[in-house]
Amino acid sequence: MTATATSLSKTLGPIRTLVGIITRPRRTMSHLSTAQRRWWWLPALLMLGGLALQGFFFARANAELMYQHQVDWLESMSDEQRTIVGELPPETDPHPLMVWLPVGGRAIGTLVTWLVWAGLIALASTFLGHNGAKFGGTFAMVAWARIPFTLRAVVQGITMALTDRAIYNQGLSGLVLDSTPAPMSGNFQSYIPPARGGQVLAALLGRVDIYMVWAMILTGIGICIFGHLPRRRATLVALGIWVIATAINLVPALLGMGQGTRFF
């Protein structure tokens, strides 16, 4: 390691690292690989903030849509039916547990994701010839490489706050299956569940967007630098882990249980 690299590694603080990951990812990953402090707590805190923002405004917009569906359903009834059903209670904000429990679950799931990816990358790097691959450094690299997903959560949260409309279709899933809740209807027999193939394809496309591509590029750069692997081999490692993760996440859709939940 050169004296210049040592100096830069020592002076690269958390904010500069964040800016560098976005503007100069390869150079910043190189600095992180030699730095004594990798500031992984900053992407962790940003992740929590992004998930909280996204979760809060999704819950609020979703509750508003559900209430409007009930209002429309009640207005479609005859006076006699409306008398039997009764009046709706006033619209209220969703219960805090309905907001923060999902956010907490997603935060734990994200942490598990980072741990799994870090472990698999360190293992793959060792098998492919770099016996000095360390889990701690790989974990910090994975945390920083997930910055695009945090940015996605923030962008979606702000969008839902400004539009009061929940985002139900992640990634490109809306091209094949609209997951937006349908208006309430008294004729439940007319409901036709989506085809199994549509669920699987929607679950797959739901994982594909510009933020995923960005995160995969950062991960490939990180594997190349932290694992001391050639660029092509590092790219194959990143894609291989993504394929395994995607295949596991498609299991609920393959079993006809909807698009499921992302495990990692």
Side-chain angles (χ1 to χ4, degrees), residues 24-34 125 130 138 141 218-231 234:
R24 296 181 177 180
R26 183 171 298 277
R27 184 179 180 184
T28 303
M29 284 290 187
S30 180
H31 295 165
L32 285 173
S33 68
T34 59
S125 299
H130 180 50
T138 306
M141 180 273 290
L218 292 179
T219 302
I221 293 173
I223 294 174
C224 181
I225 294 173
F226 279 77
H228 298 282
L229 297 176
R231 183 179 302 178

Side-chain angles (χ1 to χ4, degrees), residues 65-133:
L65 178 63
M66 295 297 100
Y67 186 83
Q68 187 59 47
H69 281 178
Q70 294 180 65
V71 171
D72 295 340
W73 180 52
L74 193 64
E75 291 179 349
S76 67
M77 295 180 179
S78 64
D79 292 339
E80 182 178 353
Q81 291 174 324
R82 198 176 305 164
T83 302
I84 297 174
V85 173
E87 296 294 330
L88 290 176
E91 182 180 7
T92 58
D93 291 332
H95 193 279
L97 287 178
M98 300 299 294
V99 177
W100 302 119
L101 280 181
V103 170
R106 289 188 61 194
I108 294 173
T110 300
L111 178 59
V112 172
T113 297
W114 293 2
L115 292 171
V116 171
W117 271 81
L120 292 177
I121 290 172
L123 190 62
S125 299
T126 300
F127 280 142
L128 293 175
H130 180 50
N131 296 325

